[in-house]
Amino acid sequence: LSVFFKLREKNLFCWNSVIDGLAVHGYADEALKMFRGMEREKIKPNGITFISVLSACTHAGLVEEGRRMFLSMADDYSILPGVGHYGCMVDLLSKAGLLKDALELIRSMKVEPNNIIWRALLGGCKVHRNLEIAQVAVKELMALEPNNSGHYNLLVNMYAEVNRWVEVAKIQAAMKNLGVEKNCPGSSWIEMERKIHQFAA
């Protein structure tokens, strides 16, 4: 930051670099303050700026601020959100437990949602134990990544956690019928600090 403030002329690239650096390293409040400073300096943000700002909001849990920033892109700066922006918003909403809002956002997207977006939703379903929306996410992920059994296995684990063994058996049978095998034997999923991690023996 000291180098940044010593610069006589700070262009968009400089502002984006600092905002992104702060966001990535967990300094969400500082990243948002820098964005405000950028606005005061009349530097017009671009799509990259908003990915960093929205990410600062994947990290601090600032849901309403994230919503406001997301709408501001199009309303104030005429920047159409891309997959990256939607991904940040889905991640933010999912981590906050607003899974229905996240699903509605995905369904309203002007671009085709990718596997990263569906994974963010599925991760939120695991954390907040929402089996209904998890099924939707897994269905979409299996269409995008038919050979990745990890999504099915996560859903199996979620059903097992609530002792719904009939559903566990159905999913395992479906995996067998589709020829989807567990690609990582001995693997398990755990939740730490509201994030999902996969470990393998």
Side-chain angles (χ1 to χ4, degrees), residues 83-155:
V83 174
H85 305 105
Y86 281 109
C88 289
M89 277 305 298
V90 169
D91 190 44
L92 173 61
L93 294 169
S94 297
K95 285 178 179 175
L98 301 171
L99 298 165
K100 289 184 179 178
D101 290 359
L103 184 56
E104 286 177 11
L105 179 63
I106 293 171
R107 287 176 169 162
S108 72
M109 287 175 59
K110 306 298 184 186
V111 292
E112 194 70 24
N114 62 11
N115 56 347
I116 295 171
I117 286 174
W118 290 113
R119 276 190 207 141
L121 181 64
L122 183 58
C125 290
K126 169 63 176 171
V127 172
H128 297 284
R129 291 165 173 76
N130 188 313
L131 285 162
E132 181 184 356
I133 295 179
Q135 287 178 319
V136 175
V138 167
K139 182 179 178 181
E140 295 293 339
L141 282 165
M142 290 313 296
L144 291 169
E145 302 175 331
N147 296 320
N148 187 340
S149 65
H151 314 307
Y152 271 130
N153 291 325
L154 180 57
L155 189 58

Side-chain angles (χ1 to χ4, degrees), residues 57-70:
C57 291
T58 321
H59 284 298
L62 302 173
V63 176
E64 292 311 313
E65 182 72 5
R67 287 186 200 265
R68 196 189 70 73
M69 291 288 184
F70 186 76

Side-chain angles (χ1 to χ4, degrees), residues 34-45:
M34 291 298 290
F35 179 73
R36 297 291 176 226
M38 181 179 173
E39 288 184 316
R40 286 193 298 272
E41 294 292 323
K42 307 297 184 186
I43 303 294
K44 186 178 179 181

